[in-house]
Amino acid sequence: METSPLIDFWIFGPERGCLMREVPIIRQLAVANIRFRIFAHKDHKSLIQSSLKDLSFEFIPYRFGLSLKYTKNYDIAIFRTLISLAQYVFFVSISHYSLFRKNIKKQRPTLIVNDFLPLIPIFAHLHKLPIAGVYNYRLHYTGLGESFFHRMLSWGVHTAFTKMYALHQPMLIEQIYPQPFEGHTIEIPIIARSVVESKTSVLAQLNLQKDETNIYLSLGGGATKINKQILNVFSDIGSAQNWNIILHPRNKYEMEWLGKHYPQFTLVPYDWVETQDILQCASVVVARAGFTTVAECLKLNIPLVLWHMEKHPEIRETENFLKENNLCAGIIHEHDAPDTIAKTIKQGLHNDPLLDKLNLIQSDGDLHAKTLLMKALRLIQHDES
């Protein structure tokens, strides 16, 4: 009896963005009777199991990922991130390769999908395994600073990504609008999870009213620490403007700490998996331009106010694109006065032309990814027959 194809998903961690992009793709492929093994950071076990609880798959955790290091202002800390990258290349890669080799000996996958661990394509080519990639970084912005060192580092980032992209067939790049790019990458629309619970139900659970102004303030990626200065500013703004400030704590400790020090904020239970259900209740979302958050806001037609990040190339690329195409209500900076921040948020509250533009954006990238990955599977199976 012929067995169904097996796809190994290797997903970047410990941050959550790549994982949230892959969940809709996995759901689409599950309909086509594909089997899965999901390799992801150990901290994502409960999140994956909750997000895909109705599907059958094998979860295989890795202990250490590639950790991006941030300053207290949500900006990337370049030198600490470089140290983390060196640890990944020289130490963590050994454990990843051991895990990779062990499991392909157990059963070789039909296809590997990578999002986006940089050494997995090298492992795949060593073992002559087909690999596809899914990501969102177009390399249109690689600036890390103006010094000679930073320029060399920017060149290294561009070169490394270009080489890694070339090892994937196909290499799918998630994009808000199509953009030119040299190479063999394939553009797909944004990928965003569909709403699970109704807005009315979520508002009731959070004890909010539909006619209130609800501002969702993102706390940043999983590696960022809480910035008390920012929380104090938004506490004052919420009080002055009579706005509800919604926060989604990332763990039990944050839930308890925020509840104790900022009881005026509306706190989403930290184990609430379907973040998109919360975003639909927001009048405006204030967040850095992480692609998953951006994609989900665009799909839901929720105005975005972006928290500027100077030295994070991927986030700056998305931020620049949203600004250039008038797809965000505005950009705020760390040292902006509370009145300036409030004024920028109000631009999102009263911006009908922005909402008209958001309505035109495609958000079915998961269907496009499914079509292209199924095509890759058919070619693989044809070559093997």
Side-chain angles (χ1 to χ4, degrees):
M1 181 179 177
E2 185 178 351
T3 58
S4 59
L6 172 66
I7 296 181
D8 282 354
F9 280 85
W10 280 84
I11 304 175
F12 184 94
E15 295 194 343
R16 291 175 46 171
C18 294
L19 175 62
M20 294 299 97
R21 171 170 38 239
E22 293 304 321
V23 165
I25 296 176
I26 291 170
R27 287 200 164 278
Q28 290 291 345
L29 290 168
V31 179
N33 196 31
I34 306 295
R35 293 177 297 133
F36 307 105
R37 293 189 300 202
I38 300 176
F39 297 78
H41 195 275
K42 62 180 178 62
D43 291 349
H44 291 161
K45 181 177 180 179
S46 60
L47 181 59
I48 290 173
Q49 290 176 335
S50 298
S51 299
L52 301 171
K53 58 187 175 184
D54 55 325
L55 300 183
S56 176
F57 61 91
E58 183 180 1
F59 174 75
I60 302 170
Y62 55 80
R63 290 185 60 195
F64 304 104
L66 175 55
S67 297
L68 303 180
K69 304 298 182 182
Y70 295 90
T71 67
K72 67 177 183 178
N73 300 317
Y74 300 170
D75 218 341
I76 196 165
I78 293 175
F79 292 104
R80 286 193 291 129
T81 295
L82 282 175
I83 292 171
S84 176
L85 178 60
Q87 291 173 335
Y88 174 77
V89 171
F90 295 107
F91 300 105
V92 176
S93 61
I94 297 172
S95 65
H96 282 199
Y97 180 66
S98 176
L99 186 65
F100 183 96
R101 193 162 177 264
K102 174 185 174 181
N103 281 278
I104 66 169
K105 281 186 173 181
K106 182 179 176 182
Q107 184 176 4
R108 285 177 70 87
T110 313
L111 175 68
I112 296 170
V113 175
N114 180 37
D115 187 0
F116 193 80
L117 287 161
L119 295 180
I120 299 304
I122 297 174
F123 301 161
H125 280 260
L126 282 173
H127 291 273
K128 295 180 171 55
L129 285 164
I131 182 167
V134 185
Y135 207 36
N136 61 266
Y137 187 28
R138 296 294 288 169
L139 307 179
H140 285 180
Y141 184 91
T142 55
L144 291 166
E146 295 302 320
S147 70
F148 175 78
F149 170 78
H150 288 100
R151 288 177 181 271
M152 288 299 295
L153 186 58
S154 298
W155 174 85
V157 168
H158 188 279
T159 301
F161 270 100
T162 302
K163 297 292 186 185
M164 289 302 102
Y165 285 176
L167 294 176
H168 297 78
Q169 296 287 349
M171 182 66 225
L172 311 181
I173 300 291
E174 184 187 6
Q175 287 296 284
I176 299 168
Y177 291 150
Q179 301 176 71
F181 183 77
E182 294 181 3
H184 71 283
T185 59
I186 300 173
E187 296 166 348
I188 60 174
I190 60 173
I191 300 170
R193 294 170 294 169
S194 297
V195 167
V196 176
E197 289 196 58
S198 70
K199 182 176 179 179
T200 300
S201 172
V202 176
L203 286 170
Q205 292 178 65
L206 298 178
N207 197 28
L208 297 172
Q209 304 299 318
K210 65 178 182 179
D211 56 348
E212 294 178 320
T213 299
N214 301 314
I215 309 300
Y216 181 95
L217 173 62
S218 171
L219 293 172
T224 54
K225 296 180 180 180
I226 287 179
N227 187 321
K228 296 179 185 178
Q229 179 183 346
I230 292 173
L231 295 181
N232 290 338
V233 167
F234 274 84
S235 176
D236 292 343
I237 291 174
S239 176
Q241 301 293 333
N242 196 28
W243 293 342
N244 295 318
I245 308 298
I246 304 173
L247 297 176
H248 190 177
R250 296 163 294 190
N251 51 54
K252 184 178 180 180
Y253 165 77
E254 285 188 0
M255 188 81 185
E256 294 174 349
W257 187 88
L258 287 166
K260 178 180 178 181
H261 293 90
Y262 297 92
Q264 66 274 36
F265 290 158
T266 297
L267 301 182
V268 179
Y270 70 90
D271 55 355
W272 193 307
V273 173
E274 308 294 346
T275 312
Q276 72 278 18
D277 289 359
I278 310 299
L279 295 179
Q280 71 175 324
C281 299
S283 310
V284 169
V285 169
V286 179
R288 59 184 192 154
F291 205 88
T292 299
T293 301
V294 167
E296 293 188 335
C297 288
L298 293 176
K299 180 173 182 174
L300 292 166
N301 300 332
I302 303 297
L304 265 165
V305 168
L306 301 178
W307 194 277
H308 177 70
M309 291 187 74
E310 181 64 29
K311 296 176 182 177
H312 193 304
E314 295 176 44
I315 286 178
R316 275 295 300 278
E317 177 181 272
T318 306
E319 177 186 313
N320 291 349
F321 183 84
L322 292 170
K323 180 181 179 181
E324 290 164 4
N325 290 276
N326 297 314
L327 290 172
C328 64
I331 298 175
I332 57 177
H333 300 75
E334 173 195 353
H335 297 299
D336 283 350
D339 287 349
T340 301
I341 294 174
K343 182 179 179 180
T344 305
I345 293 173
K346 287 178 181 179
Q347 291 173 4
L349 293 173
H350 309 288
N351 196 333
D352 292 336
L354 172 63
L355 295 179
D356 291 339
K357 292 195 73 173
L358 300 186
N359 274 314
L360 300 175
I361 295 172
Q362 277 187 276
S363 58
D364 58 349
D366 52 333
L367 286 171
H368 286 249
K370 174 191 175 182
T371 299
L372 292 163
L373 292 175
M374 291 299 295
K375 179 180 178 181
L377 284 173
R378 287 193 295 271
L379 290 172
I380 293 165
Q381 291 171 322
H382 178 267
D383 291 342
E384 292 177 347
S385 62

